[in-house]
Amino acid sequence: MTVLDEDIKSVIEEFDFSVFDNKSVLITGATGLIGKLCTKCFLNAPYNIKVLALVRNRQKSEQIFGENKNLKFIVQDINSPISAKEKVDYIIHTASVTSSGDFINKPVETIQTAINGTKNVLEFAKNQKISGMVYLSSLEVYGAQDKEDVKENDYGYIDILNPRSSYSESKKVVETMCISYGTEYKIPVKIARLSQTFGAGVLKNDTRVFAQFAKSVINKENIILHTKGETKRNYCYTSDAVCGILTVLTKGENNNAYNVANKNTYISIADMAHLLENDSTKVVYEIDNKNRGYNPTVKICLNTQKLEKLGWSAKIDLPEMFERTIKSLQELN
């Protein structure tokens, strides 16, 4: 059994999927890290759950999911109106630009995908009479904070004249768009604000910091830091995140936002790098002034009390997160 298979099994054991029995779920970004795990969990749960997976590449999607009588691919760009004709009961909207490099090099596309894509999802939801929708937002909506313990109504400073803010600002706009549609058109929409999330299913070409660290360990190479690594935040393992997302979807209050993170993983990037040091991998600082698309230095620990009151809790700590991610990447060889 692969690490990803183990994670699918743990999510199914942790979350009661009976609420989705004889229902249909639309998942956008279904081949992404979170969308993929959500899709596989629905298809493996012991219930009759139809999944409409919105994807851009059919061949890639078929390689990931294979054939399943309860799975149908909607092959299109999220920036186009959704072409699905089937009845949908729930929507999990994960589709988003996720590369920090794209935030700085393709800020227009980052904004357009967030706003236009979500508008298309909400317009589709408006005509469906759905039971619930969850939009996957980010800790980046909080910006720079004066305090580290951040609850859902704590908002900080974001430099709107920095193209890197294309991601965080578009996430904020889309959250308001979701709440506006929810208020005006009575769409039962909720928002899940995720901390940086990783685990089994991360691809070898992923450029995010956790993936670079994991690949350095696998390749027995040094971890190169181009900054002091002072940004400090908490993280979340993929299976914990999916359970949190499903909890928000089914138990969360409409027109509301919930932090999804592991409160026990609060650590700086530098300390996280040092956590992975061993005889073959050391942390090396090569600080420069190149614009690599990194987020400005922040110290944010997402407070998860609001989500925990719905019955959710994170299970996987940071060392195990990396252990499982590394093992999963090695399984790709």
Side-chain angles (χ1 to χ4, degrees):
M1 182 181 289
T2 67
V3 179
L4 184 59
D5 288 333
E6 291 174 357
D7 290 345
I8 293 167
K9 184 173 181 289
S10 71
V11 172
I12 293 172
E13 290 175 349
E14 177 72 20
F15 187 85
D16 183 4
F17 279 81
S18 64
V19 67
F20 299 110
D21 194 22
N22 295 317
K23 303 293 184 181
S24 58
V25 185
L26 170 66
I27 302 175
T28 72
T31 59
L33 182 63
I34 298 298
K36 178 168 56 180
L37 183 54
C38 285
T39 301
K40 285 178 176 286
C41 288
F42 281 119
L43 295 176
N44 283 277
Y47 298 98
N48 179 35
I49 306 171
K50 303 290 185 183
V51 178
L52 299 178
L54 195 150
V55 300
R56 289 183 294 178
N57 186 308
R58 179 180 292 277
Q59 183 177 9
K60 174 185 176 182
S61 304
E62 289 175 345
Q63 290 174 344
I64 292 173
F65 300 112
E67 291 187 8
N68 189 300
K69 64 181 179 63
N70 282 337
L71 174 65
K72 179 177 180 179
F73 296 121
I74 309 298
V75 184
Q76 65 162 92
D77 192 311
I78 192 67
N79 288 296
S80 301
I82 294 177
S83 58
K85 305 299 182 185
E86 293 82 356
K87 172 73 173 71
V88 168
D89 297 295
Y90 293 94
I91 297 174
I92 301 176
H93 180 27
T94 83
S96 174
V97 176
T98 57
S99 167
S100 293
D102 286 341
F103 302 162
I104 193 73
N105 295 317
K106 297 181 179 179
V108 174
E109 290 82 355
T110 298
I111 293 169
Q112 288 177 334
T113 298
I115 295 177
N116 295 338
T118 305
K119 178 186 176 184
N120 290 328
V121 174
L122 290 166
E123 284 293 324
F124 177 79
K126 188 173 69 172
N127 299 316
Q128 280 284 326
K129 294 184 178 179
I130 60 172
S131 298
M133 169 180 165
V134 61
Y135 169 65
L136 269 59
S137 189
S138 165
L139 65 83
E140 291 205 22
V141 300
Y142 292 114
Q145 293 278 334
D146 293 328
K147 59 181 180 178
E148 297 183 38
D149 180 45
V150 177
K151 297 181 180 180
E152 284 80 358
N153 59 349
D154 295 323
Y155 300 106
Y157 170 76
I158 297 175
D159 181 4
I160 61 175
L161 298 185
N162 182 348
R164 173 60 177 74
S165 300
S166 58
Y167 179 74
S168 47
E169 283 293 315
S170 61
K171 285 286 186 183
K172 289 180 69 174
V173 169
V174 168
E175 285 199 19
T176 303
M177 184 186 299
C178 286
I179 301 306
S180 298
Y181 268 80
T183 302
E184 186 170 347
Y185 299 113
K186 310 306 178 187
I187 297 173
V189 63
K190 307 96 182 277
I191 296 163
R193 292 181 183 149
L194 273 65
S195 62
Q196 194 163 74
T197 300
F198 65 95
V202 168
L203 300 178
K204 288 184 176 181
N205 61 357
D206 196 311
T207 59
R208 285 173 286 185
V209 64
F210 57 80
Q212 294 183 41
F213 288 2
K215 286 182 284 187
S216 293
V217 173
I218 292 171
N219 298 328
K220 298 182 178 180
E221 300 171 343
N222 288 334
I223 295 173
I224 309 298
L225 292 183
H226 296 289
T227 71
K228 294 179 181 179
E230 294 174 329
T231 283
K232 195 173 182 181
R233 57 195 171 202
N234 48 351
Y235 296 80
C236 196
Y237 189 67
T238 42
S239 60
D240 284 334
V242 168
C243 286
I245 291 162
L246 297 178
T247 299
V248 172
L249 175 63
T250 57
K251 298 180 181 179
E253 184 178 338
N254 293 342
N255 301 325
N256 233 296
Y258 296 82
N259 289 335
V260 183
N262 185 329
K263 60 187 177 184
N264 298 317
T265 62
Y266 189 47
I267 193 171
S268 71
I269 289 175
D271 287 342
M272 186 168 69
H274 286 290
L275 180 70
L276 298 173
E277 281 187 306
N278 56 42
D279 292 339
S280 303
T281 301
K282 303 298 181 184
V283 177
V284 177
Y285 292 85
E286 295 182 0
I287 298 174
D288 57 43
N289 295 316
K290 292 182 181 179
N291 190 346
R292 301 176 184 272
Y294 299 148
N295 204 28
T297 298
V298 294
K299 294 183 179 180
I300 293 179
C301 183
L302 295 188
N303 183 304
T304 55
Q305 290 178 353
K306 188 173 176 181
L307 180 55
E308 289 168 6
K309 288 179 180 178
L310 300 181
W312 174 89
S313 63
K315 302 292 190 292
I316 308 295
D317 63 16
L318 194 59
E320 187 176 357
M321 288 169 67
F322 271 107
E323 179 184 330
R324 298 183 70 78
T325 301
I326 289 169
K327 185 178 179 181
S328 173
L329 284 167
Q330 290 172 324
E331 290 171 345
L332 297 175
N333 294 330

